[in-house]
Amino acid sequence: MSNPAARAAALWGLAVLLLLAIALRANFRTDLSAFLPRAPSAAQRLLVGQLQSGPAGRLIVAAIRGGGPTGRAAASIALARALRGGADFTSVENGDEESLARDREFLLRERYLLSPDVSPGRFQAAGLRAALEASLDTLAAPEGVLVKDLFARDPTGEFLGLLERASGTQPPREQAGAWSSHDGREALLLLQTRAPGADTDAQQRAIEAVQRAFAQVRTTTAQGAQLSLLLSGPPVFATEARALIRSEVKRLSALSAVLIALLLLSLYRSPLALLLTFVPVASGALAGVAAVALGFGTVHALTLGFGVTLIGESVDYSIYLFVQGEGAGMHLWDTLRLGVLTSIAGFAALLPSSFGGLAQLGLYSIAGLIAAALVTRYVLTAWRPRTLRLRDLRALGRVLLKWHSRRRGVPALLMVLALAEAALLWVQRGHLFSADLAALSPISLAAQDTDARVRADLGAPDVRYLVVVSAASAEAALEGAARLAAHLDPLVSAGTIGGYETPSRYLPPQQVQAARRASLPEPAALRTALHAALETLPVRAEALEPFVRDVAQARGAPLLTRADLEGTGFGALVEGLLHRDAHGAQALLPVSARGAADLTPEALAALHGVVAAAPGATLLDLKGETDRLYGGYLRQAVELSLAGAVAILALLLVALRSARRVARVLLPLALAVMGVAALQALRGEPLGILHIVGMLLIVAVASNYALFFDRARAHPVEADLERTVASVVVANLATVIGFGVLAFARVPVLAQLGATVAPGALLALLFAALLSGDLRSDDAHAD
Amino acid sequence: MRAAVALAALAVVSVARADALDELLRGFATHRTGHAAFTEVHEFALLKRPLRSSGELRYRSPDYLEKRTLQPRPETLVLKDGTLLAERGRHRRVLELAAHPELVPYIESIRATLAGDRAALERYFVVDVSGDASAWTLRLRPRPGPIGRSVQEVRLSGAAAAIREVDIRLKDGDRSRLEIGPDLPP
């Protein structure tokens, strides 16, 4: 083991094996978890809980297209039957007669326990008279034929009242026995997955189950061959986003690797050197994943996406080594060490971020850069074959230096440009940052629009306002929900809010059910009251004997429990709206606005008033809370980036021991960052979190350029200088290629990063070169 | 031979009937709009005395029908493009006719006749015409299926291109009668 190359190989191999073992066991996620706070407030915890396991995150809308209405409806019914038989969904609704009849049967059977109108007064003469008069009106109407058979059993109209409340403001359109879109071109199904929204793997299995079942339906139903299936909803978006991120990361890292390989091959003319160049890159990426897996428990797929960015920086290290050659010696390592430390100082600022994705990116980059630098320093130098003959890039350096010497007057121009940038940013300061989290979503606007449309057609719009009633037990939460519902009803009647849903509607608290049951009179008393009520009404008392029988039966029936709801559409609803966890239980009451998606400020204030008066209740504005959360992240990203910049400044002051040199290193970086911000402002695009992170990356990557120019000034050795300049230019090209490719990603976070760093790195090199002063005393020397 | 003659005679009669229906419906087809008062009487077994209501009917060819009840309680029912909109007080209900076949005898009997839409009439009902232009009766018996779940038959009667009475008889013996007229200014 005396051979240093072999020793390096052995050590490196061991390290790689260890890291691989860690990375392969890592749990990869693609849900919203990367965007969620690590130390949430109470309201944020509710929000996170809702996003991760709430009913909204478990809804899939399936739209069947093509063929005719009957073919679509038949396929919808067959698909629903197949999915109800499986274990992936807690509820499959498509408006088919079978399940509608089952739900109606449940409401009819349990009407005296469920109806909020049931009270002792309801069954005395006056109450009966009022209820019967209303029912007679319905009977006389043309749709009376639909309820005529029920009149004798339910003359007080409890069932119809329940049906009306249950179907909400606007039930979906029906075609040939199944729900359809308003335009009648799609059959629609509403599916609720059993798995929580955060479990992307399970969601993907559920989606595949739907696709398999539909493939089966296509072959077994008439017109099946003409039909196609469109799935939408948060679970679909989460899995699509994961697939998209994966494929984009693969595609783009392959593309940038190929482009950088071509660039390096044309310069090195040595496949071996090229191969070696990628050793630190791959090692760094692996170390990054392993570090995140160890530090966070899970690795977000987006973090892998950022791995592409690491290619851009870590490839530079081997470029510096190979291009500057052995002659560079210790100077190279001194400069590189400072460059790596600078980058670490920048990324370390991200570690305390409460935005999980940013913290992961910070740790990933730090571990990756350290690994890449170490491998370059100790493995690559040992492996670099003695026979390796790189193309001498000094000629390139000479040409570049000659251009550099003709830059007179440019620095002054640059200062003017910098002032212009600063002025532009000042003018635009109100619109620089975007507080919209949706800008980060990898789901296309078209897909989001489709989702909004089918949900509106189904009467299941995206939930924005949610009242959460927390209590010690499920029963207590239901009691709280029922009390709150009593205060929400007046808001609905007054038209302040459009409506609301509550689990207590289908599973009233036991004490409420008991009170309703106790208000049902004995048959003799009921008959007496009926006789009195019917004196002025045109109904024959004998005809209402079925009513007396039903009431008598309801008096002896047991109270409803959760198990009684199983198999009905209401069971799934309660399942979604009533949660139990370690802290107790929560009842959820989604509140919808009237007509529009958002409540008016007055309506919101009224709602706030009702909720504030209810113990244990919190009003959650999901969109508002998410926006606030993102706004907080954005502010924090800016603050942390500034802290990173200060750390870098302190580090350079210590290392270079000269304010002048530090200024010379940092000025081009600052100008480049401002330039990118100005470009973004000129394009009319506000800066998001990833732009801010991108700026930090600019500083991390480009600090190397500035440091090399600084060293070239401090230690002017002619042969080195040419190589140094060449290496910096090649490294910069590699970086611009790496990030430039990323700018074309279909995942907005990656695209933002690429679009910031690629031009930023280029600008930083230009500024660093132009502001470096004279690199050699004799300009004519090169000729 | 005699049988053949009888058959031919039958054929002639049914052709004559068919012609009578065509003629009747042609008369309706020329009327694009209508506006008339109505009185409705429900005679149900569970009632001690019939339920009565009254109001106005409005029609616009081919598929807009409005029934505005004024007494005893205001209520509006509008049929438009196969969708039924019912409003009573603050209650508002939208029903797709296609999703509620039991309503078809109540609605299509009147709408298809007013529109002169023989195809629609015969799609839902077995149609018999009797009488003459000055006093005709259309007897509509629902074809087998959910349309006829509760309705035994619908009898429309009238004079020339005007329906004067719609008599709906249910299978359980209950009956609803709609008397139309007099005509009101448009």
Side-chain angles (χ1 to χ4, degrees):
Chain A
M1 273 295 194
S2 58
N3 181 351
R7 200 162 54 231
L11 268 175
W12 176 77
L14 269 178
V16 164
L17 280 180
L18 183 67
L19 294 175
L20 259 183
I22 298 170
L24 285 180
R25 289 173 57 190
N27 178 17
F28 290 92
R29 292 172 69 166
T30 35
D31 57 1
L32 277 165
S33 63
F35 300 107
L36 300 178
R38 290 192 293 163
S41 67
Q44 283 171 348
R45 199 165 54 235
L46 285 178
L47 174 74
V48 171
Q50 281 318 303
L51 292 177
Q52 288 185 332
S53 59
R58 294 162 55 194
L59 278 187
I60 297 177
V61 179
I64 299 174
R65 296 171 163 176
T70 48
R72 287 193 296 268
S76 167
I77 289 164
L79 183 62
R81 192 166 297 144
L83 294 178
R84 283 180 190 131
D88 292 304
F89 297 95
T90 50
S91 131
V92 176
E93 289 183 84
N94 67 339
D96 66 334
E97 195 46 48
E98 198 180 319
S99 44
L100 283 184
R102 193 194 50 210
D103 285 0
R104 275 197 297 261
E105 174 57 33
F106 172 81
L107 289 182
L108 181 63
R109 191 176 59 235
E110 310 295 349
R111 63 188 183 274
Y112 294 113
L113 292 176
L114 293 174
S115 171
D117 294 330
V118 171
S119 65
R122 181 81 160 177
F123 300 97
Q124 285 157 11
L128 283 172
R129 191 178 304 122
L132 280 162
E133 271 173 359
S135 291
L136 278 172
D137 282 349
T138 310
L139 198 61
E143 80 260 32
V145 66
L146 301 176
V147 299
K148 196 163 84 63
D149 294 341
L150 278 174
F151 187 87
R153 283 183 71 187
D154 183 28
T156 54
E158 311 302 339
F159 169 67
L160 277 188
L162 287 173
L163 205 59
E164 213 159 273
R165 286 188 191 92
S167 62
T169 43
Q170 186 64 26
R173 179 175 170 179
E174 228 182 275
Q175 254 188 340
W179 284 343
S180 85
S181 58
H182 276 307
D183 63 9
R185 290 185 185 167
E186 298 164 339
L188 298 180
L189 296 93
L190 196 58
L191 318 173
Q192 183 174 296
T193 64
R194 190 173 300 281
D199 188 347
T200 315
D201 285 336
Q203 299 287 9
Q204 181 154 15
R205 279 196 297 278
I207 289 165
E208 283 163 2
V210 180
Q211 285 162 342
R212 262 198 314 279
F214 183 70
Q216 188 73 25
V217 165
R218 284 194 67 194
T219 60
T220 51
T221 60
Q223 293 185 21
Q226 305 165 34
L227 304 178
S228 63
L229 180 72
L230 175 94
L231 296 177
S232 182
V236 180
F237 291 162
T239 49
E240 274 177 8
R242 173 160 77 173
L244 184 64
I245 292 172
R246 276 184 182 162
S247 78
E248 285 289 278
V249 166
K250 268 189 208 147
R251 187 173 72 93
L252 296 175
S253 34
L255 185 59
S256 61
V258 166
L259 289 176
I260 292 172
L262 285 177
L263 169 75
L264 296 183
L265 201 58
S266 72
L267 293 172
Y268 292 174
R269 293 183 170 174
S270 158
L272 179 61
L274 179 66
L275 204 63
L276 290 178
T277 300
F278 282 99
V279 171
V281 177
S283 310
L286 188 58
V289 172
V292 172
L294 283 181
F296 291 88
T298 59
V299 182
H300 198 275
L302 271 183
T303 311
L304 288 189
F306 298 138
V308 182
T309 70
L310 206 67
I311 298 177
E313 190 174 357
S314 54
V315 83
D316 291 2
Y317 300 157
S318 29
I319 293 174
Y320 294 137
L321 174 67
F322 288 151
V323 176
Q324 296 191 21
E326 295 198 64
M330 287 320 285
H331 285 314
L332 171 64
W333 302 122
D334 287 344
T335 311
L336 215 49
R337 190 185 315 119
L338 191 53
V340 172
L341 283 175
T342 311
S343 300
I344 290 176
F347 284 118
L350 295 183
L351 287 179
S353 170
S354 61
F355 180 3
L358 274 195
Q360 284 202 3
L361 172 61
L363 183 60
Y364 180 89
S365 304
I366 290 173
L369 290 182
I370 291 177
L374 285 178
V375 169
T376 309
R377 172 76 179 85
Y378 296 103
V379 181
L380 236 50
T381 45
W383 284 1
R384 187 173 44 172
R386 308 225 179 283
T387 52
L388 181 62
R389 272 277 168 270
L390 294 175
R391 183 186 207 186
D392 191 347
L393 291 172
R394 273 182 301 179
L396 176 66
R398 264 199 296 281
V399 174
L400 293 171
L401 276 171
K402 198 170 155 188
W403 286 350
H404 182 260
S405 65
R406 293 183 189 151
R407 76 191 191 293
R408 281 181 223 297
V410 173
L413 208 64
L414 222 54
M415 284 300 136
V416 175
L417 184 66
L419 282 177
E421 283 173 4
L424 177 65
L425 292 179
W426 178 254
V427 169
Q428 291 281 319
R429 68 193 180 284
H431 319 279
L432 274 184
F433 298 107
S434 153
D436 192 3
L437 190 60
L440 289 183
S441 169
I443 302 306
S444 72
L445 271 180
Q448 290 177 34
D449 286 349
T450 305
D451 189 57
R453 180 182 61 75
V454 289
R455 276 160 170 277
D457 281 5
L458 279 175
D462 218 359
V463 175
R464 169 157 188 184
Y465 308 98
L466 194 64
V467 182
V468 183
V469 180
S470 303
S473 68
E475 189 57 29
L478 280 174
E479 284 166 15
R483 274 193 300 272
L484 188 69
H487 290 105
L488 289 176
D489 283 332
L491 294 186
V492 178
S493 327
T496 311
I497 60 175
Y500 69 94
E501 194 53 276
T502 169
S504 60
R505 186 169 286 157
Y506 310 103
L507 184 60
Q510 299 287 301
Q511 61 181 51
V512 170
Q513 291 189 48
R516 284 178 189 159
R517 191 171 59 181
S519 58
L520 301 173
E522 286 176 35
L526 183 57
R527 283 197 190 95
T528 311
L530 262 180
H531 269 286
L534 293 179
E535 264 171 31
T536 56
L537 293 174
V539 181
R540 292 189 300 116
E542 317 86 80
L544 297 183
E545 266 311 299
F547 168 52
V548 178
R549 253 196 327 270
D550 275 12
V551 171
Q553 197 179 4
R555 278 169 53 84
L559 300 183
L560 279 179
T561 65
R562 212 164 170 160
D564 296 319
L565 271 68
E566 252 169 50
T568 69
F570 313 117
L573 214 131
V574 169
E575 168 84 31
L577 297 180
L578 186 62
H579 290 279
R580 265 168 298 196
D581 58 24
H583 308 288
Q586 295 170 337
L588 311 176
L589 291 81
V591 175
S592 57
R594 200 151 165 263
D598 299 339
L599 289 174
T600 60
E602 302 81 59
L604 200 55
L607 187 57
H608 261 298
V610 167
V611 172
T618 317
L619 174 62
L620 210 54
D621 172 359
L622 290 177
K623 184 173 184 303
E625 202 63 49
T626 311
D627 286 350
R628 259 194 298 286
L629 193 66
Y630 180 73
Y633 288 160
L634 196 64
R635 237 186 349 271
Q636 201 187 34
V638 173
E639 286 164 10
L640 292 177
S641 299
L642 287 177
V646 171
I648 289 173
L649 180 71
L651 178 73
L652 290 179
L653 275 174
V654 170
L656 301 178
R657 291 193 200 86
S658 152
R660 229 185 123 73
R661 282 176 71 187
V662 170
R664 211 187 283 283
V665 169
L666 287 184
L667 190 60
L669 305 182
L671 286 178
V673 167
M674 274 170 61
V676 168
L679 273 179
Q680 201 69 20
L682 278 180
R683 286 169 60 199
E685 278 188 31
L687 298 174
I689 286 186
L690 270 296
H691 291 114
I692 313 277
V693 174
M695 290 173 184
L696 197 60
L697 270 171
I698 294 174
V699 173
V701 175
S703 58
N704 291 329
Y705 313 152
L707 286 171
F708 277 120
F709 279 113
D710 173 71
R711 189 195 67 178
R713 252 180 83 87
H715 310 280
V717 180
E718 196 57 38
D720 282 358
L721 187 59
E722 285 159 1
R723 284 209 192 88
T724 303
V725 170
S727 74
V728 168
V729 169
V730 172
N732 180 255
L733 269 179
T735 302
V736 171
I737 288 174
F739 283 96
V741 164
L742 208 58
F744 295 99
R746 284 181 293 158
V747 182
V749 283
L750 298 180
Q752 284 184 8
L753 208 56
T756 313
V757 182
L762 198 60
L763 283 179
L765 175 66
L766 274 177
F767 293 152
L770 292 172
L771 295 174
S772 64
D774 286 336
L775 288 175
R776 48 185 176 179
S777 43
D778 183 5
D779 280 347
H781 183 93
D783 297 298
Chain B
M1 188 63 191
R2 202 171 281 181
V5 171
L7 270 175
L10 260 179
V12 168
V13 169
S14 68
V15 164
R17 286 273 157 78
D19 283 349
L21 180 58
D22 274 338
E23 203 173 310
L24 180 64
L25 293 178
R26 250 200 311 278
F28 278 106
T30 56
H31 287 73
R32 313 299 296 167
T33 60
H35 187 200
F38 79 85
T39 312
E40 193 170 30
V41 183
H42 297 288
E43 295 164 16
F44 295 163
L46 57 83
L47 297 176
K48 283 187 280 197
R49 50 179 184 273
L51 277 178
R52 284 175 184 278
S53 56
S54 60
E56 296 176 8
L57 283 176
R58 220 177 254 282
Y59 167 73
R60 201 161 56 234
S61 173
D63 60 2
Y64 179 89
L65 194 58
E66 181 186 312
K67 182 182 173 207
R68 187 179 293 274
T69 307
L70 301 169
Q71 294 294 332
R73 248 171 288 277
E75 173 187 316
T76 312
L77 187 84
V78 175
L79 172 82
K80 206 174 150 189
D81 301 332
T83 304
L84 212 53
L85 172 70
E87 276 180 294
R88 183 165 59 244
R90 288 199 304 106
H91 286 270
R92 195 169 177 277
R93 262 168 80 79
V94 183
L95 299 170
E96 295 279 332
L97 202 51
H100 298 278
E102 306 98 302
L103 293 179
V104 165
Y106 291 79
I107 310 287
E108 274 299 297
S109 56
I110 302 174
R111 189 212 61 87
T113 304
L114 287 174
D117 185 349
R118 179 171 180 160
L121 272 183
E122 295 194 322
R123 180 158 64 245
Y124 299 121
F125 310 102
V126 176
V127 186
D128 278 311
V129 199
S130 60
D132 56 35
S134 62
W136 52 264
T137 301
L138 269 183
R139 186 163 163 242
L140 309 175
R141 277 166 299 161
R143 293 192 181 275
I147 291 172
R149 203 177 285 159
S150 49
V151 172
Q152 181 72 39
E153 66 171 55
V154 181
R155 277 186 206 199
L156 291 96
S157 50
I163 305 174
R164 287 303 166 209
E165 191 191 67
V166 181
D167 183 356
I168 301 175
R169 291 159 192 242
L170 306 186
K171 286 185 169 156
D172 60 9
D174 286 356
R175 189 174 171 195
S176 297
R177 271 185 308 122
L178 187 71
E179 286 163 24
I180 303 174
D183 286 342
L184 298 169

